[in-house]
Amino acid sequence: MIDEERLIQICREHNIDGNKLIQANPNILEYGIEENIIYVLDFLRGELNVDGRNIEKCVSILCMGTGNIRQNYEYLTGKGINEENIESCLHVLTADPEQLKRTYEYISANYGKEYLNRLTTILNVDVERIQEIERMHQWPDKLPIIQAAISQRSMEEIQEIIGICKENNVEITGAVFHRIGKEIKQIIQICKDNNIPLTGAVFLRTGQEIEQIIEICKRNDIKITGAVFHRTGEELEKVIEACQRHGIKPEGVMFTRTGEEIDQIVEICHKQNVEPTGTVFSRSGEELEQIIELCRRNNVDPKGNVFLKNIEEIERIIETCKRHNIEPFATMFIQSSKEVERIIDVCKKNNLPITGSVFQRTGEELEKVLDVCKRHNLEPSGSVFLRTAEEIEDIVKVCREHNIEPAKSLFHRTGKEIVQVLELCKKHNIEPTGTMFIRNIKEIEATIEICKKNNLTIVGSMFLRSPANLTAAIDYVRGEFGSDYVLPLIVGKDIGTLKKALPYLREKGLLEVLKGSASILKNSLEEIQAREQFIVQSGEELVTPEGKFNPIFGMDKKRYRQRVERMRQASELTSVIQDVPLAEAVEASKVLEEITHEHTNEGVTRNDGEN
């Protein structure tokens, strides 16, 4: 037993809200022992720096199995279980060490370590329970067995739930086990009547709650997805009202927040000049402010993946980057700080450039990918890291079977998807291009149909845009400038750029040049105007004698910056030689001639891909 005031004091010393602990589990006052609580918090907060909120969600760790925590943590991390997964599932550390070890070895041998990282809580389950469920049901997919084992349902309840799901072709996920058989039948019928996908989250609600949520979504023209079922009907209405007040579309992770929280988050975003979309709603208002301030202080763009991490984890990742003298990449925030450290070590050990793409894999996965690349003489870079070692093996096999080179763009798709794309190309008698593989099979089919309908040659640039954007570009160009300008090299460009650049080029009397020289549209209007000014200042023509745009318009940004810098240096040199003796001026003139010669030769290069 521990006194309430003493517990709150101990928690305060470890930067934890003691009142939240007591509210979450009042039993801690009866079963908690002061020295055990201090021991656990010293280890979790003092040594491991575990997020205090994870402890607040798992109060039992402070009063049950406290003597097992360090031993279990060291065992699991030694076996390669991700620290972040352990820290978000702390109750596994209270398990009997022998039982935890048996479960780890059984799952690792019969299911694979990925399941231990995906559903770490299985480590708290006896092997005997897992085996009993295995004997009851032989699934080709192993995930339902683990999810059933994790649930608190009896064997009879599990058997009934599985039978109902199989009978109704419902995917067996962890959420299904939140309901008894009778409730599941009712939910299935409601979803069928309303043509709603039977996603896992729907089983978080009762039949009555689901009907209310459906009515609210239909009334407010909101697409019914699994996310809406994270809130009750009353909570959902408040979320929608908050979104409407701020002119934002209610969707996805927003439904994990209350209406009041959304108001606060949007206000902070506006104050901090951060767009209030997507992952910003993964954090509370207080956390959001702290994260934005930390990012700005460390020259990290506050958006996207960064909000997937708490403030302490972001600090650790930034410190890791500083220690290794590298810039923080957005993809780093997919991983834990310790995993980021491991990935950097793997890169350095293998002399691999540290780029954003490497952080799409864990350190262990990265080593396997590098091994596969070495075996198959593949360059380990870019989109290759989108795939696991096993997937890369499959892609290489497909490429050999179809006698094609394993180009980097292919790694945007699985081996099976690549085969589908190749078969589709054969069906339509077209050559597969690299850019096709950044699109899924439905998008590729749609793009081919759009090209045929509009009598457009099917070239790679057509697949750089989604079918919807391509259609919008075609309609805009045809409606504003005529069918003569509906050409692959024009309509394959960004619709936003087209709407700004084409009217400007028409105003300048340069629109006709586009028909044979469209690479100028790689640039935004602002970039086009800047390059136009530079060309004029350089004494060159905007259009070459061959009727094409000056190649400066088609240069990539790096080459363009180099050209501007050389011109600046030449200009400075010209001004200097006006005041120097003749002999030195002659020498400077020779330097200028070399610069001019290089400048002229470089100008011959065409970057349009149109000649």
Side-chain angles (χ1 to χ4, degrees), residues 223-394:
K223 186 178 179 182
I224 302 172
T225 63
V228 299
F229 298 103
H230 285 282
R231 304 249 70 91
T232 65
E234 184 181 351
E235 291 171 332
L236 183 61
E237 291 207 269
K238 288 181 179 178
V239 168
I240 294 167
E241 287 169 7
C243 290
Q244 288 173 344
R245 272 197 303 276
H246 299 291
I248 56 178
K249 184 180 178 183
E251 59 185 359
V253 72
M254 291 180 191
F255 296 114
T256 64
R257 294 288 160 201
T258 64
E260 293 79 6
E261 287 175 324
I262 287 175
D263 282 332
Q264 186 187 17
I265 289 166
V266 172
E267 183 183 344
I268 291 166
C269 286
H270 287 159
K271 187 173 72 176
Q272 298 286 349
N273 197 27
V274 170
E275 191 176 1
T277 59
T279 53
V280 297
F281 295 97
S282 301
R283 296 290 151 201
S284 68
E286 184 183 355
E287 291 175 300
L288 186 61
E289 281 196 296
Q290 292 174 343
I291 289 170
I292 293 170
E293 183 186 342
L294 175 65
C295 288
R296 295 251 163 87
R297 208 166 54 238
N298 290 278
N299 200 29
V300 174
D301 196 4
K303 66 178 184 181
N305 294 330
V306 72
F307 296 112
L308 298 175
K309 300 296 179 189
N310 61 55
I311 188 77
E312 292 166 334
E313 187 69 352
I314 295 169
E315 283 178 328
R316 289 195 286 265
I317 290 172
I318 289 172
E319 283 305 311
T320 298
C321 291
K322 286 179 179 178
R323 197 165 55 253
H324 291 279
N325 195 28
I326 59 175
E327 288 293 317
F329 296 99
T331 46
M332 282 181 176
F333 298 98
I334 299 171
Q335 307 290 353
S336 69
S337 56
K338 291 178 181 177
E339 200 61 56
V340 168
E341 186 79 57
R342 275 195 288 266
I343 291 165
I344 292 170
D345 288 344
V346 171
C347 289
K348 288 186 173 181
K349 186 175 74 176
N350 290 275
N351 200 27
L352 181 70
I354 300 171
T355 62
S357 57
V358 299
F359 296 98
Q360 293 173 106
R361 304 255 69 90
T362 65
E364 184 180 357
E365 290 172 332
L366 184 59
E367 288 193 293
K368 290 179 181 178
V369 166
L370 293 175
D371 183 55
V372 170
C373 288
K374 188 175 180 181
R375 268 202 321 273
H376 295 291
N377 198 28
L378 295 172
E379 183 188 352
S381 64
S383 57
V384 170
F385 298 113
L386 293 172
R387 299 290 155 205
T388 64
E390 294 76 16
E391 288 173 325
I392 293 171
E393 291 275 17
D394 189 37

Side-chain angles (χ1 to χ4, degrees), residues 447-478:
T447 299
I448 291 171
E449 288 306 313
I450 291 167
C451 290
K452 287 186 174 182
K453 179 183 174 183
N454 291 279
N455 199 28
L456 290 167
T457 305
I458 302 173
V459 295
S461 59
M462 295 290 93
F463 300 96
L464 291 172
R465 311 294 162 204
S466 69
N469 285 343
L470 179 60
T471 299
I474 291 169
D475 291 344
Y476 170 72
V477 172
R478 180 177 284 122

Side-chain angles (χ1 to χ4, degrees), residues 301-580:
D301 196 4
K303 66 178 184 181
N305 294 330
V306 72
F307 296 112
L308 298 175
K309 300 296 179 189
N310 61 55
I311 188 77
E312 292 166 334
E313 187 69 352
I314 295 169
E315 283 178 328
R316 289 195 286 265
I317 290 172
I318 289 172
E319 283 305 311
T320 298
C321 291
K322 286 179 179 178
R323 197 165 55 253
H324 291 279
N325 195 28
I326 59 175
E327 288 293 317
F329 296 99
T331 46
M332 282 181 176
F333 298 98
I334 299 171
Q335 307 290 353
S336 69
S337 56
K338 291 178 181 177
E339 200 61 56
V340 168
E341 186 79 57
R342 275 195 288 266
I343 291 165
I344 292 170
D345 288 344
V346 171
C347 289
K348 288 186 173 181
K349 186 175 74 176
N350 290 275
N351 200 27
L352 181 70
I354 300 171
T355 62
S357 57
V358 299
F359 296 98
Q360 293 173 106
R361 304 255 69 90
T362 65
E364 184 180 357
E365 290 172 332
L366 184 59
E367 288 193 293
K368 290 179 181 178
V369 166
L370 293 175
D371 183 55
V372 170
C373 288
K374 188 175 180 181
R375 268 202 321 273
H376 295 291
N377 198 28
L378 295 172
E379 183 188 352
S381 64
S383 57
V384 170
F385 298 113
L386 293 172
R387 299 290 155 205
T388 64
E390 294 76 16
E391 288 173 325
I392 293 171
E393 291 275 17
D394 189 37
I395 290 168
V396 170
K397 181 184 175 186
V398 167
C399 289
R400 285 175 177 168
E401 289 172 352
H402 291 82
N403 197 29
I404 59 173
E405 284 294 316
K408 286 181 184 176
S409 59
L410 269 65
F411 294 94
H412 286 278
R413 306 259 72 91
T414 64
K416 182 181 178 181
E417 289 171 327
I418 292 170
V419 172
Q420 289 176 330
V421 173
L422 296 175
E423 288 173 350
L424 183 64
C425 289
K426 188 176 181 181
K427 174 185 171 183
H428 290 279
N429 194 28
I430 57 175
E431 282 294 316
T433 65
T435 50
M436 278 185 180
F437 296 97
I438 65 175
R439 298 287 164 199
N440 62 46
I441 193 72
K442 288 183 179 178
E443 289 176 318
I444 296 170
E445 283 185 299
T447 299
I448 291 171
E449 288 306 313
I450 291 167
C451 290
K452 287 186 174 182
K453 179 183 174 183
N454 291 279
N455 199 28
L456 290 167
T457 305
I458 302 173
V459 295
S461 59
M462 295 290 93
F463 300 96
L464 291 172
R465 311 294 162 204
S466 69
N469 285 343
L470 179 60
T471 299
I474 291 169
D475 291 344
Y476 170 72
V477 172
R478 180 177 284 122
E480 292 291 325
F481 305 95
S483 296
D484 287 351
Y485 289 91
V486 180
L487 302 169
L489 291 168
I490 295 176
V491 298
K493 300 297 190 295
D494 175 65
I495 180 68
T497 299
L498 294 178
K499 286 184 175 181
K500 291 181 179 180
L502 295 189
Y504 179 76
L505 293 173
R506 177 167 59 186
E507 181 186 322
K508 289 280 185 177
L510 298 171
L511 198 61
E512 187 71 24
V513 183
L514 272 179
K515 291 181 181 179
S517 182
S519 67
I520 190 174
L521 297 175
K522 292 190 304 183
N523 307 303
S524 67
L525 175 59
E526 292 74 21
E527 288 170 331
I528 290 171
Q529 290 171 328
R531 295 188 185 207
E532 176 188 356
Q533 185 180 5
F534 176 74
I535 291 167
V536 171
Q537 289 174 346
S538 301
E540 297 186 26
E541 297 295 328
L542 298 178
V543 180
T544 67
E546 294 84 9
K548 294 185 178 295
F549 280 111
N550 188 305
I552 288 174
F553 283 118
M555 285 181 179
D556 61 42
K557 290 181 180 179
K558 182 179 179 181
R559 286 183 59 217
Y560 174 65
R561 283 196 300 269
Q562 289 172 342
R563 172 66 70 87
V564 171
E565 179 60 20
R566 278 198 296 272
M567 183 58 68
R568 185 189 65 77
Q569 291 172 353
S571 178
E572 288 178 357
L573 187 57
T574 302
S575 65
V576 168
I577 64 172
Q578 292 175 355
D579 301 315
V580 299

Side-chain angles (χ1 to χ4, degrees), residues 138-201:
Q138 297 297 317
W139 281 299
D141 182 11
K142 297 174 180 178
L143 186 59
I145 297 173
I146 295 179
Q147 289 173 324
I150 290 168
S151 77
Q152 300 299 309
R153 299 292 172 193
S154 67
M155 291 300 155
E156 293 75 18
E157 288 174 321
I158 290 172
Q159 193 157 12
E160 182 188 11
I161 290 168
I162 290 166
I164 293 168
C165 289
K166 284 185 174 180
E167 184 183 333
N168 291 277
N169 198 27
V170 173
E171 184 183 0
I172 300 169
T173 63
V176 172
F177 298 102
H178 283 270
R179 301 287 156 206
I180 60 173
K182 182 181 177 181
E183 291 175 316
I184 293 171
K185 285 180 180 179
Q186 184 189 13
I187 291 168
I188 290 170
Q189 191 57 52
I190 291 169
C191 289
K192 283 182 178 178
D193 291 344
N194 290 278
N195 196 27
I196 295 171
L198 280 158
T199 58

